[in-house]
């Protein structure tokens, strides 16, 4: 019996209040062999991150209750997750948004709607350094 590639696959967290974005990211990442943890907002993500220890986090910016900047800042304040790359997801592509993401510790900024190729390229660029 062979071991499943999922057993050694990197775990990636996707935080987005849009079920369409979460589902798209989940499909793309699962097809590439990654384990995926979904969260529908920052509070949900913070509740799940300790259980799953993702190698990388994709985080939407515009979310109810706790926005992406606040979520990223809280993840980065944790000694356990300080080194975990957080990539911001947004439909806004302005310089101010990118700068604000960098200020809270985001590793990169991905514009929505993303393609499968751009999502996987971001994972390869940022998560492999954690592997």
């Amino acid at each position: 019996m062979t071991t499943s590639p999922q057993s050694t696959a990197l775990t990636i967290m996707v935080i987005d209040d849009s079920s369409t974005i979460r589902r798209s990211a989940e499909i793309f990442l699962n097809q590439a062999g990654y384990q995926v943890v979904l969260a529908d907002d920052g509070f949900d993500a913070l509740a799940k991150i300790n259980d799953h220890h993702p190698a990388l986090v994709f985080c939407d910016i515009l979310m109810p209750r706790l926005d992406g900047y606040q979520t990223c800042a809280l993840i980065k304040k944790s000694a356990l997750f300080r080194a975990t790359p957080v990539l911001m997801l947004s439909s806004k592509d302005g310089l101010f948004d990118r700068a604000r993401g960098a200020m809270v510790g985001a590793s990169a900024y991905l514009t929505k709607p993303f393609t499968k190729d751009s999502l996987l390229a971001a994972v390869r660029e940022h998560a492999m350094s954690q592997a």
Side-chain angles (χ1 to χ4, degrees), residues 45-91:
L46 295 174
K48 292 178 178 177
I49 196 166
N50 278 318
D51 293 336
H52 299 281
H53 294 271
L56 179 127
V57 175
F58 285 104
C59 185
D60 183 25
I61 291 176
L62 297 174
M63 295 184 293
R65 302 196 306 158
L66 195 63
D67 73 22
Y69 298 121
Q70 295 165 317
T71 302
C72 180
L74 288 168
I75 290 169
K76 291 297 186 172
K77 281 183 183 172
S78 164
L80 193 57
F81 299 107
R82 186 171 294 130
T84 303
V86 177
L87 283 69
M88 304 307 286
L89 294 173
S90 181
S91 52

